[in-house]
Amino acid sequence: MIDLQTRTAPPRAGALRRAAPALLGYAAVRALGLLALVLWSAARDKSAYTLLTARWDALWYVRVAELGYGYEVRLPNGDVHSNLAFFPLLPWLERLVAAVSPLSYADGGFVVSLAASLAAAWGIFAVADHVHGRRAGVCAVLLWAVLPVGIVQSMAYSESLFTALAAWSLYAVLTGRWVTAGALALAAGLTRPVGAAVVAALWAAAIASFVAERRAAPGGPGGRAASRARRAAGMLLAPLGTAGYVLWVGHRTGAGPLGYLDVQAGWRNGFDGGYAFARFVAGRFVSFPSALAGAGLVLGVASVVWLYAVGVRQRQPLALLVYSGAVTLLALCASSYFGSKPRLLMPAFPLLLPLALLLARARPRRSAVVLGVLAVVGAVYGAFWLNGSGPP
């Protein structure tokens, strides 16, 4: 019931022109979000730029870029926060920007994030356009831009960089460019632990392609040998980023192949099947004010599950279903800080495709009004959020 076929990508000439409405709309939404942040921060006598580049994880990435790995903080309760928990591609790019320009490492992180967010928007458009057409592609990009936590796309965090690499890797899978897909999956695996989701998507699609090819022409001639070789090469490349860094951390800590799990445990991060998150949600219902938040969390999780189920019914390509399913599973079933979960779900952009298709089929004026309202709400919420608890 799942479309496993790949279609040839459109010619490169005109690809940017085709994506231009999505990219211009994305830039406008993000500019609105940054303007709201600047105004809100100024009213609170805070620096919007500091909030974007020098708080929470952004500081850890800068320390990796500046000092390398080995920095850690020991908390009074015995927990150890090590910068080995942060994958290296973003700090490498921050260091590169600082080396070739007068910008600081923090500035470099901001520049990389801005460029990567545009690349991510283009990649999301390419995937949605390939699956559902141009209008759905534009709507998918704008829906990703107006997410309540969309301000993270402009922060010196790794979400934008990872989403860009993941989206283009998935697009390469959908268009049969297996070596490119593998190389991009490798890079995604050097960006965030959830790079494993990109690897799983590529492997699932490649195996399904091998099986379908064999069933279509059992024992046939070897004319497809080159295609099979490229597919196998992509499969071999894909896990090297994630596996390479995890194994290096294990060697660095002396804890063996599972040493990275010990590093994450120091941050109280782990995979418990969602038990800790379920307890957290259940704990919201002990009193009336917090019960509203608990109901919101339940509704949010139910919405994510519903969107995934709709994607299955709409026969999304296997690679997209595996990717979004893995990202969602890792986000919801991790025992990490619960306020981070919306941010961790942000790379799961295929979940937005059913809504994008719905908006694409609606009257343009109605879709514009819906997206405009969401953009304003998202900009205000992002400014409020970043000046408050923010994304840890």
Side-chain angles (χ1 to χ4, degrees):
M1 298 206 40
I2 297 171
D3 179 15
L4 301 177
Q5 299 295 324
T6 58
R7 298 196 299 273
T8 304
R12 292 184 180 180
L16 180 58
R17 188 180 305 113
R18 184 173 180 83
L23 298 180
L24 291 173
Y26 176 80
V29 172
R30 291 273 37 89
L32 176 63
L34 291 174
L35 176 61
L37 177 65
V38 168
L39 295 176
W40 195 297
S41 301
R44 294 175 59 88
D45 198 26
K46 290 185 179 181
S47 166
Y49 191 69
T50 298
L51 294 176
L52 292 169
T53 63
R55 291 183 70 184
W56 302 296
D57 289 5
L59 290 173
W60 286 90
Y61 284 118
V62 165
R63 289 191 183 104
V64 173
E66 183 178 9
L67 305 173
Y69 285 106
Y71 176 83
E72 62 183 28
V73 175
R74 294 184 177 273
L75 304 183
N77 65 355
D79 290 344
V80 178
H81 288 184
S82 168
N83 65 359
L84 290 169
F86 296 87
F87 277 50
L89 186 56
L90 178 57
W92 287 347
L93 293 176
E94 290 177 341
R95 187 178 296 175
L96 176 63
V97 171
V100 300
S101 73
L103 299 177
S104 67
Y105 296 120
D107 296 334
F110 184 65
V111 170
V112 170
S113 182
L114 289 183
S117 67
L118 286 171
W122 193 354
I124 292 170
F125 170 82
V127 170
D129 179 27
H130 184 84
V131 175
H132 291 308
R134 188 183 190 187
R135 285 192 64 185
V138 173
C139 291
V141 170
L142 295 179
L143 283 171
W144 192 67
V146 304
L147 288 173
V149 293
I151 190 65
V152 175
Q153 297 162 19
S154 301
M155 296 181 67
Y157 270 40
S158 60
E159 273 76 10
S160 290
L161 179 60
F162 174 79
T163 304
L165 294 168
W168 283 109
S169 179
L170 292 169
Y171 179 70
V173 169
L174 296 178
T175 54
R177 300 174 177 180
W178 296 101
V179 175
T180 300
L184 290 169
L186 186 158
L190 288 171
T191 308
R192 296 186 63 81
V194 76
V198 187
V199 178
L202 187 152
W203 272 63
I207 291 171
S209 184
F210 277 124
V211 171
E213 189 177 84
R214 186 173 183 84
R215 288 177 176 173
R224 298 178 179 174
S227 175
R228 292 169 182 164
R230 288 193 294 271
R231 200 177 304 148
M235 294 177 71
L236 291 175
L237 280 173
L240 295 182
T242 301
Y245 182 70
V246 168
L247 291 175
W248 178 81
V249 170
H251 174 74
R252 171 73 179 256
T253 60
L258 300 181
Y260 183 76
L261 299 181
D262 295 336
V263 171
Q264 286 285 17
W267 287 80
R268 295 189 179 269
N269 289 338
F271 187 88
D272 63 359
Y275 175 72
F277 184 47
R279 287 190 59 187
F280 174 78
V281 173
R284 303 303 94 191
F285 291 95
V286 297
S287 62
F288 172 71
S290 63
L292 296 177
L297 289 171
V298 171
L299 180 61
V301 173
S303 299
V304 168
V305 174
W306 176 76
L307 287 172
Y308 186 81
V310 174
V312 173
R313 289 201 302 269
Q314 292 180 347
R315 299 170 62 89
Q316 282 186 14
L318 179 64
L320 300 188
L321 291 174
V322 171
Y323 169 75
S324 58
V327 173
T328 301
L329 187 69
L330 291 172
L332 296 181
C333 295
S335 59
S336 56
Y337 177 70
F338 306 115
S340 297
K341 293 196 181 294
R343 173 172 67 88
L344 299 179
L345 282 168
M346 193 170 61
F349 67 88
L351 293 174
L352 299 173
L353 295 188
L355 298 178
L357 188 58
L358 186 65
L359 287 173
R361 291 172 175 172
R363 293 180 180 180
R365 181 176 296 179
R366 181 174 298 176
S367 298
V369 170
V370 170
L371 290 168
V373 170
L374 291 176
V376 172
V377 171
V380 172
Y381 178 79
F384 165 78
W385 187 47
L386 210 57
N387 275 276
S389 61

